[in-house]
Amino acid sequence: MKRRKFLSLMGSAAVAGSLLLTGCSGGDSDHRKIIRIGHVQSANHPDHIALTAFADYINEKLGDKYKVEVYPSELLGSQTEMTQLTQTGAIDFVVASNAIMETFSSQYQIFNLPYLFSSEEAYHAAMDDPEVTDPIFLATEKAGLVAVTWLDAGTRNFYTVKTPINQPSDLKGLKIRVQQSPTNVEMMRLLGGTATPMGFGDVYTALQAGILDGAENNELALTDNGHGDICKYYSYDMHQMVPDLVIANYEFLSNLDSEERAIFDEGFKIINETERAAWADAVAEAKDKAENEMGVNFLYPDTAPFQEAMAPLHDEVLEANPELQPIYDRIQEYNAEYAAN
Ligand code: GCU
């Protein structure tokens, strides 16, 4: 059942309430705490496969005390709603795009910068370096949230219903859905398009209704989310590599004893490794299906004019958050080491 239907039946406050009331699994002999993880992707998506591996691992190691349940497809709400539920402890984990985490701390803006990484290798190396990620991932501790690992969400590109995007000026006047992040809105302003921020689950209907002219995302959005039914041009301008983050309720994590915490940390590693191992094949499959079954045209524009148009965002974000400078500089070292080929 899709989120909208579920929420209209329950009301999001009621959902939160019912989750709190059923914090334990119920039956007289079953005192396990239920750990709920919500995410927006389908049950075929690498994120879901990785979270299922985590659930299996925790259930195997700590099954007498915990029972992990994974809820895909926005069943527990939109990404922002689920992050709020994680903040209050109504659920324990959510997979949130780094983009929406800007609402919780401006520190996260750094990983939303267009063309931040020079290559996929630089992106992966930087995201695997705690010197880069810790200051950001722990920035929301006081708000009750902490990021425990990252997931590859590929490269984001523009895709449109009717207008092929070959250069930034092709975006002029087009209504493009972006994630709910000030950096993304500014990105569209610099490109001359009109940013329409909305939750992921609302995009299909908005495209279908003609409220949007296009959106931007990785290739899986075309197939897994059906956007390729409507959008027939996917343009590799390669503007962002925005990671997904596994966000935990801080109090839940802090209350684990050291033995349990070690097991959870191993579980977080399993999420990261499983998802990354599945990602490249998932993208190749999605591209093949979009191109050959859905009739989506893939375009390969010169990325330089896009990069130039969005470049001012780097200085804007660094000026507003000077504490990000050392992290930004460290990322540049990875960019030099793993330059684009
Ligand atoms: C990707 C990403 C999601 C995000 C979505 C979006 O699918 O993995 O975390 O919600 O993009 O554009 O909203």
Side-chain angles (χ1 to χ4, degrees):
M1 182 167 44
K2 279 296 287 180
R3 171 175 79 91
R4 195 180 307 282
K5 204 160 156 205
F6 183 78
L7 288 184
S8 67
L9 285 174
M10 307 281 293
S12 56
V15 174
S18 74
L19 289 170
L20 278 170
L21 288 173
T22 56
C24 290
S25 52
D28 281 349
S29 58
D30 194 348
H31 299 292
R32 289 176 297 174
K33 173 182 163 45
I34 299 206
I35 296 175
R36 291 188 178 84
I37 310 178
H39 69 92
V40 302
Q41 310 291 358
S42 78
N44 304 315
H45 190 281
D47 286 9
H48 188 75
I49 295 165
L51 294 168
T52 305
F54 171 77
D56 291 346
Y57 179 75
I58 299 296
N59 292 341
E60 181 203 316
K61 294 281 180 191
L62 295 169
D64 51 339
K65 190 157 173 200
Y66 300 107
K67 182 167 180 260
V68 180
E69 293 178 353
V70 184
Y71 293 86
S73 307
E74 302 195 24
L75 278 171
L76 301 182
S78 69
Q79 213 169 59
T80 301
E81 285 163 347
M82 286 190 285
T83 307
Q84 286 159 351
L85 291 177
T86 306
Q87 191 170 30
T88 63
I91 67 173
D92 307 282
F93 295 93
V94 59
V95 177
S97 170
N98 182 82
I100 67 128
M101 292 307 292
E102 272 183 24
T103 322
F104 298 90
S105 161
S106 62
Q107 303 286 298
Y108 286 88
Q109 283 182 333
I110 190 161
F111 301 134
N112 295 333
L113 287 176
Y115 303 101
L116 175 64
F117 302 107
S118 61
S119 65
E120 208 174 277
E121 290 76 17
Y123 167 47
H124 290 181
M127 294 306 298
D128 280 341
D129 178 356
E131 254 187 63
V132 170
T133 54
D134 272 1
I136 315 297
F137 286 5
L138 307 179
T140 37
E141 247 176 36
K142 283 207 184 79
L145 298 168
V146 53
V148 293
T149 191
W150 69 280
L151 304 174
D152 197 346
T155 305
R156 298 182 77 94
N157 299 290
F158 291 109
Y159 53 93
T160 45
V161 181
K162 284 195 227 122
T163 317
I165 306 299
N166 288 304
Q167 57 220 352
S169 58
D170 294 333
L171 287 160
K172 212 171 162 34
L174 296 191
K175 284 205 200 85
I176 302 290
R177 180 267 172 171
V178 295
Q179 291 174 285
Q180 292 130 311
S181 122
T183 307
N184 286 353
V185 172
E186 178 62 3
M187 175 178 89
M188 287 314 299
R189 192 188 66 78
L190 290 168
L191 286 166
T194 305
T196 308
M198 64 172 72
F200 196 33
D202 295 325
V203 180
Y204 186 94
T205 320
L207 285 167
Q208 203 174 36
I211 294 165
L212 295 171
D213 298 303
E216 49 83 53
N217 214 318
N218 61 55
E219 296 85 338
L220 272 64
L222 299 172
T223 51
D224 234 32
N225 307 92
H227 298 179
D229 290 343
I230 310 159
C231 294
K232 299 302 177 190
Y233 294 98
Y234 188 91
S235 180
Y236 278 110
D237 72 293
M238 318 279 279
H239 58 267
Q240 280 168 322
M241 294 175 188
V242 178
D244 277 343
L245 305 175
V246 179
I247 304 286
N249 173 265
Y250 178 62
E251 201 184 332
F252 169 74
L253 272 193
S254 317
N255 287 338
L256 294 172
D257 66 34
S258 60
E259 218 169 286
E260 287 174 351
R261 181 60 200 255
I263 294 170
F264 272 82
D265 283 345
E266 182 57 28
F268 302 147
K269 243 173 87 188
I270 290 173
I271 303 179
N272 174 280
E273 285 164 4
T274 311
E275 198 267 353
R276 283 165 72 178
W279 183 257
D281 282 351
V283 168
E285 244 173 66
K287 191 175 173 204
D288 182 63
K289 183 175 174 197
E291 198 159 29
N292 298 312
E293 292 174 33
M294 302 171 99
V296 176
N297 299 289
F298 285 86
L299 310 170
Y300 301 85
D302 178 7
T303 59
F306 290 91
Q307 187 162 0
E308 224 167 87
M310 295 184 232
L313 247 176
H314 287 223
D315 287 344
E316 283 174 32
V317 164
L318 290 169
E319 266 161 36
N321 306 273
E323 64 285 9
L324 292 176
Q325 190 69 51
I327 304 168
Y328 185 83
D329 293 344
R330 178 125 183 124
I331 293 172
Q332 299 320 312
E333 289 172 24
Y334 287 113
N335 285 343
E337 192 176 340
Y338 303 101
N341 45 35

